[in-house]
Amino acid sequence: MGGVVGKGDTPRHSSAATKLEQKMVEAMQQRAQEGTSLRSFNSVIMKFPKIDESLRNCRIIFQQFDEDSNGEIDQLELKHCFQKLDISFTDEEIKDLFEACDIYEHMGMKFNEFIVFLCLVYLLNDPAVSEARKRMGLGNLEPTFETLVDAFVFLDKNKDGYVSKSEVIEAINETSAGERSSGRIGVKRFEEMDWDKNGTVTFKEFLFAFTRWVGLDENEDDDDDE
């Protein structure tokens, strides 16, 4: 697994928790109470190839939303998408969703940022969003998104909706008991996830790290055109 931040990009450092982010934390706290079937960090790693293949299939949905085919989905395109799907989101809610996923502040969601968007839409399980999932063709992706939720729940040992450095180290140690390098590996994995450097990892930060861990690249569009 490589580093998360690359190619000279600097991710957004947002300290203020939006209503959307609070809803994410509350949703993860609720899911954590249900528990997870994962028993080791290695069991998460073993699922990488299947998750990678499933997420790459989201490109068709991405291209449908990218109206000007410039490789990014801007806020207006996202609003148009919701209108086409007849989803009643307010402008503020759309703005929150967009800003939560446009982590590099490009004013447009790249493919890997769009993957995070889809997973957050999946997590926010209210009636409007549930209907949107069906219309967006996310039915086949639900097992993949469930795996991502399970992986975060596995790391969130105290079930508070956040992951700390000590929790990541504990998770790595459970897999690599007795290995001297396990502590260093845990610290490295945590640093790859903790983009705003505040000492805790949200589900959104975890998702962005995961898209890089499985090999998704926001510049894949350039490769596809060659």
Short mmCIF file of all heavy atoms in Angstrom, two decimals, residues 150-182:
data_model
loop_
_atom_site.label_atom_id
_atom_site.label_comp_id
_atom_site.label_asym_id
_atom_site.label_seq_id
_atom_site.Cartn_x
_atom_site.Cartn_y
_atom_site.Cartn_z
N ASP A 150 -17.51 -1.95 7.22
CA ASP A 150 -17.02 -2.96 8.16
C ASP A 150 -15.55 -2.72 8.52
O ASP A 150 -15.15 -2.90 9.67
CB ASP A 150 -17.17 -4.36 7.57
CG ASP A 150 -18.54 -4.95 7.81
OD1 ASP A 150 -19.31 -4.37 8.59
OD2 ASP A 150 -18.85 -6.00 7.22
N ALA A 151 -14.76 -2.34 7.51
CA ALA A 151 -13.33 -2.11 7.75
C ALA A 151 -13.13 -0.94 8.73
O ALA A 151 -12.29 -1.01 9.63
CB ALA A 151 -12.61 -1.82 6.43
N PHE A 152 -13.92 0.12 8.55
CA PHE A 152 -13.81 1.26 9.47
C PHE A 152 -14.27 0.86 10.87
O PHE A 152 -13.62 1.22 11.86
CB PHE A 152 -14.65 2.42 8.95
CG PHE A 152 -14.46 3.69 9.74
CD1 PHE A 152 -13.46 4.60 9.41
CD2 PHE A 152 -15.29 3.99 10.82
CE1 PHE A 152 -13.27 5.76 10.14
CE2 PHE A 152 -15.11 5.16 11.55
CZ PHE A 152 -14.11 6.05 11.21
N VAL A 153 -15.37 0.11 10.95
CA VAL A 153 -15.87 -0.33 12.25
C VAL A 153 -14.83 -1.20 12.94
O VAL A 153 -14.64 -1.11 14.17
CB VAL A 153 -17.20 -1.09 12.08
CG1 VAL A 153 -17.60 -1.81 13.37
CG2 VAL A 153 -18.31 -0.13 11.65
N PHE A 154 -14.14 -2.04 12.18
CA PHE A 154 -13.08 -2.88 12.77
C PHE A 154 -11.99 -2.02 13.41
O PHE A 154 -11.48 -2.35 14.49
CB PHE A 154 -12.47 -3.78 11.69
CG PHE A 154 -11.23 -4.50 12.14
CD1 PHE A 154 -11.31 -5.57 13.02
CD2 PHE A 154 -9.98 -4.10 11.69
CE1 PHE A 154 -10.17 -6.23 13.44
CE2 PHE A 154 -8.84 -4.76 12.11
CZ PHE A 154 -8.93 -5.82 12.99
N LEU A 155 -11.64 -0.91 12.76
CA LEU A 155 -10.60 -0.03 13.29
C LEU A 155 -11.10 0.80 14.47
O LEU A 155 -10.32 1.15 15.36
CB LEU A 155 -10.10 0.91 12.19
CG LEU A 155 -9.35 0.26 11.02
CD1 LEU A 155 -9.06 1.29 9.95
CD2 LEU A 155 -8.06 -0.40 11.49
N ASP A 156 -12.39 1.13 14.47
CA ASP A 156 -12.97 2.00 15.50
C ASP A 156 -13.28 1.19 16.75
O ASP A 156 -14.43 0.83 17.04
CB ASP A 156 -14.24 2.66 14.94
CG ASP A 156 -14.88 3.63 15.92
OD1 ASP A 156 -14.21 4.03 16.90
OD2 ASP A 156 -16.06 3.99 15.71
N LYS A 157 -12.25 0.92 17.53
CA LYS A 157 -12.39 0.01 18.66
C LYS A 157 -13.33 0.53 19.74
O LYS A 157 -14.04 -0.26 20.38
CB LYS A 157 -11.00 -0.27 19.28
CG LYS A 157 -9.98 -0.87 18.32
CD LYS A 157 -10.44 -2.21 17.78
CE LYS A 157 -9.38 -2.84 16.89
NZ LYS A 157 -9.84 -4.11 16.30
N ASN A 158 -13.33 1.84 19.99
CA ASN A 158 -14.18 2.37 21.06
C ASN A 158 -15.55 2.84 20.56
O ASN A 158 -16.33 3.40 21.32
CB ASN A 158 -13.47 3.48 21.83
CG ASN A 158 -13.27 4.73 20.96
OD1 ASN A 158 -13.64 4.75 19.79
ND2 ASN A 158 -12.69 5.76 21.55
N LYS A 159 -15.81 2.64 19.26
CA LYS A 159 -17.13 2.87 18.66
C LYS A 159 -17.62 4.31 18.82
O LYS A 159 -18.81 4.56 19.04
CB LYS A 159 -18.15 1.90 19.27
CG LYS A 159 -17.77 0.44 19.10
CD LYS A 159 -18.78 -0.49 19.72
CE LYS A 159 -18.36 -1.94 19.57
NZ LYS A 159 -19.32 -2.88 20.18
N ASP A 160 -16.68 5.26 18.68
CA ASP A 160 -17.09 6.66 18.81
C ASP A 160 -17.25 7.37 17.46
O ASP A 160 -17.51 8.56 17.41
CB ASP A 160 -16.09 7.44 19.67
CG ASP A 160 -14.72 7.57 19.03
OD1 ASP A 160 -14.47 6.89 17.99
OD2 ASP A 160 -13.89 8.34 19.54
N GLY A 161 -17.09 6.61 16.36
CA GLY A 161 -17.25 7.21 15.03
C GLY A 161 -15.98 7.79 14.47
O GLY A 161 -15.98 8.33 13.36
N TYR A 162 -14.88 7.69 15.20
CA TYR A 162 -13.57 8.15 14.76
C TYR A 162 -12.55 7.03 14.98
O TYR A 162 -12.77 6.12 15.78
CB TYR A 162 -13.11 9.38 15.54
CG TYR A 162 -13.98 10.61 15.37
CD1 TYR A 162 -15.04 10.85 16.24
CD2 TYR A 162 -13.73 11.51 14.35
CE1 TYR A 162 -15.83 11.98 16.10
CE2 TYR A 162 -14.53 12.65 14.20
CZ TYR A 162 -15.56 12.88 15.08
OH TYR A 162 -16.35 14.00 14.92
N VAL A 163 -11.42 7.12 14.28
CA VAL A 163 -10.32 6.17 14.48
C VAL A 163 -9.10 6.94 14.94
O VAL A 163 -8.71 7.94 14.32
CB VAL A 163 -10.01 5.40 13.19
CG1 VAL A 163 -8.72 4.59 13.34
CG2 VAL A 163 -11.17 4.47 12.83
N SER A 164 -8.49 6.49 16.02
CA SER A 164 -7.30 7.13 16.57
C SER A 164 -6.05 6.34 16.19
O SER A 164 -6.13 5.21 15.71
CB SER A 164 -7.39 7.22 18.10
OG SER A 164 -7.35 5.90 18.66
N LYS A 165 -4.89 6.94 16.44
CA LYS A 165 -3.62 6.27 16.13
C LYS A 165 -3.48 4.99 16.94
O LYS A 165 -3.07 3.95 16.42
CB LYS A 165 -2.44 7.20 16.43
CG LYS A 165 -1.09 6.60 16.07
CD LYS A 165 0.06 7.49 16.52
CE LYS A 165 0.06 8.81 15.79
NZ LYS A 165 1.25 9.64 16.12
N SER A 166 -3.85 5.05 18.22
CA SER A 166 -3.72 3.86 19.07
C SER A 166 -4.62 2.73 18.58
O SER A 166 -4.25 1.55 18.68
CB SER A 166 -4.04 4.20 20.53
OG SER A 166 -5.38 4.65 20.67
N GLU A 167 -5.79 3.07 18.05
CA GLU A 167 -6.70 2.04 17.53
C GLU A 167 -6.13 1.38 16.29
O GLU A 167 -6.27 0.16 16.10
CB GLU A 167 -8.07 2.66 17.24
CG GLU A 167 -8.85 2.99 18.50
CD GLU A 167 -10.14 3.75 18.21
OE1 GLU A 167 -10.16 4.60 17.30
OE2 GLU A 167 -11.14 3.48 18.90
N VAL A 168 -5.49 2.16 15.42
CA VAL A 168 -4.88 1.59 14.22
C VAL A 168 -3.72 0.67 14.62
O VAL A 168 -3.58 -0.44 14.09
CB VAL A 168 -4.38 2.69 13.26
CG1 VAL A 168 -3.64 2.07 12.08
CG2 VAL A 168 -5.56 3.52 12.76
N ILE A 169 -2.90 1.12 15.55
CA ILE A 169 -1.78 0.30 16.02
C ILE A 169 -2.30 -1.00 16.64
O ILE A 169 -1.76 -2.09 16.40
CB ILE A 169 -0.93 1.08 17.04
CG1 ILE A 169 -0.21 2.25 16.34
CG2 ILE A 169 0.09 0.15 17.71
CD1 ILE A 169 0.54 3.15 17.29
N GLU A 170 -3.38 -0.90 17.42
CA GLU A 170 -3.98 -2.10 18.01
C GLU A 170 -4.46 -3.06 16.94
O GLU A 170 -4.26 -4.28 17.04
CB GLU A 170 -5.16 -1.71 18.91
CG GLU A 170 -5.85 -2.89 19.57
CD GLU A 170 -7.03 -2.48 20.43
OE1 GLU A 170 -7.16 -1.27 20.72
OE2 GLU A 170 -7.83 -3.36 20.81
N ALA A 171 -5.09 -2.52 15.88
CA ALA A 171 -5.59 -3.37 14.79
C ALA A 171 -4.46 -4.07 14.06
O ALA A 171 -4.55 -5.25 13.73
CB ALA A 171 -6.41 -2.53 13.81
N ILE A 172 -3.37 -3.34 13.81
CA ILE A 172 -2.20 -3.94 13.14
C ILE A 172 -1.57 -4.98 14.04
O ILE A 172 -1.17 -6.07 13.58
CB ILE A 172 -1.17 -2.86 12.77
CG1 ILE A 172 -1.77 -1.84 11.79
CG2 ILE A 172 0.08 -3.51 12.17
CD1 ILE A 172 -2.11 -2.38 10.44
N ASN A 173 -1.47 -4.70 15.33
CA ASN A 173 -0.87 -5.65 16.27
C ASN A 173 -1.68 -6.95 16.35
O ASN A 173 -1.12 -8.03 16.55
CB ASN A 173 -0.76 -5.03 17.66
CG ASN A 173 0.40 -4.08 17.79
OD1 ASN A 173 1.36 -4.16 17.02
ND2 ASN A 173 0.33 -3.16 18.73
N GLU A 174 -2.99 -6.85 16.20
CA GLU A 174 -3.82 -8.06 16.23
C GLU A 174 -3.48 -8.98 15.07
O GLU A 174 -3.59 -10.20 15.18
CB GLU A 174 -5.30 -7.65 16.14
CG GLU A 174 -5.83 -7.01 17.41
CD GLU A 174 -7.25 -6.50 17.24
OE1 GLU A 174 -7.80 -6.62 16.13
OE2 GLU A 174 -7.80 -5.97 18.22
N THR A 175 -3.04 -8.38 13.96
CA THR A 175 -2.66 -9.17 12.78
C THR A 175 -1.22 -9.62 12.85
O THR A 175 -0.88 -10.73 12.45
CB THR A 175 -2.88 -8.33 11.50
OG1 THR A 175 -4.27 -8.03 11.38
CG2 THR A 175 -2.43 -9.10 10.26
N SER A 176 -0.36 -8.73 13.37
CA SER A 176 1.10 -8.98 13.32
C SER A 176 1.67 -9.09 14.73
O SER A 176 2.67 -8.45 15.06
CB SER A 176 1.80 -7.85 12.56
OG SER A 176 1.20 -7.63 11.31
N ALA A 177 1.02 -9.86 15.57
CA ALA A 177 1.45 -10.00 16.96
C ALA A 177 2.90 -10.48 17.04
O ALA A 177 3.27 -11.44 16.39
CB ALA A 177 0.54 -10.96 17.70
N GLY A 178 3.70 -9.75 17.82
CA GLY A 178 5.08 -10.16 18.01
C GLY A 178 6.06 -9.57 17.00
O GLY A 178 7.27 -9.67 17.20
N GLU A 179 5.58 -8.98 15.93
CA GLU A 179 6.47 -8.38 14.95
C GLU A 179 6.87 -6.98 15.40
O GLU A 179 6.02 -6.14 15.70
CB GLU A 179 5.80 -8.32 13.57
CG GLU A 179 5.53 -9.69 12.97
CD GLU A 179 4.97 -9.59 11.56
OE1 GLU A 179 5.10 -8.50 10.95
OE2 GLU A 179 4.42 -10.59 11.07
N ARG A 180 8.17 -6.70 15.41
CA ARG A 180 8.65 -5.41 15.89
C ARG A 180 8.17 -4.25 15.01
O ARG A 180 8.02 -3.13 15.48
CB ARG A 180 10.18 -5.42 15.94
CG ARG A 180 10.76 -6.36 16.98
CD ARG A 180 12.26 -6.24 17.02
NE ARG A 180 12.84 -7.10 18.05
CZ ARG A 180 14.14 -7.16 18.31
NH1 ARG A 180 14.99 -6.42 17.60
NH2 ARG A 180 14.58 -7.95 19.26
N SER A 181 7.94 -4.53 13.73
CA SER A 181 7.58 -3.47 12.81
C SER A 181 6.10 -3.10 12.87
O SER A 181 5.69 -2.12 12.25
CB SER A 181 7.92 -3.88 11.37
OG SER A 181 7.17 -5.03 10.99
N SER A 182 5.30 -3.87 13.61
CA SER A 182 3.86 -3.65 13.58
C SER A 182 3.48 -2.26 14.07
O SER A 182 2.56 -1.62 13.54
CB SER A 182 3.13 -4.72 14.40
OG SER A 182 3.55 -4.69 15.75
#
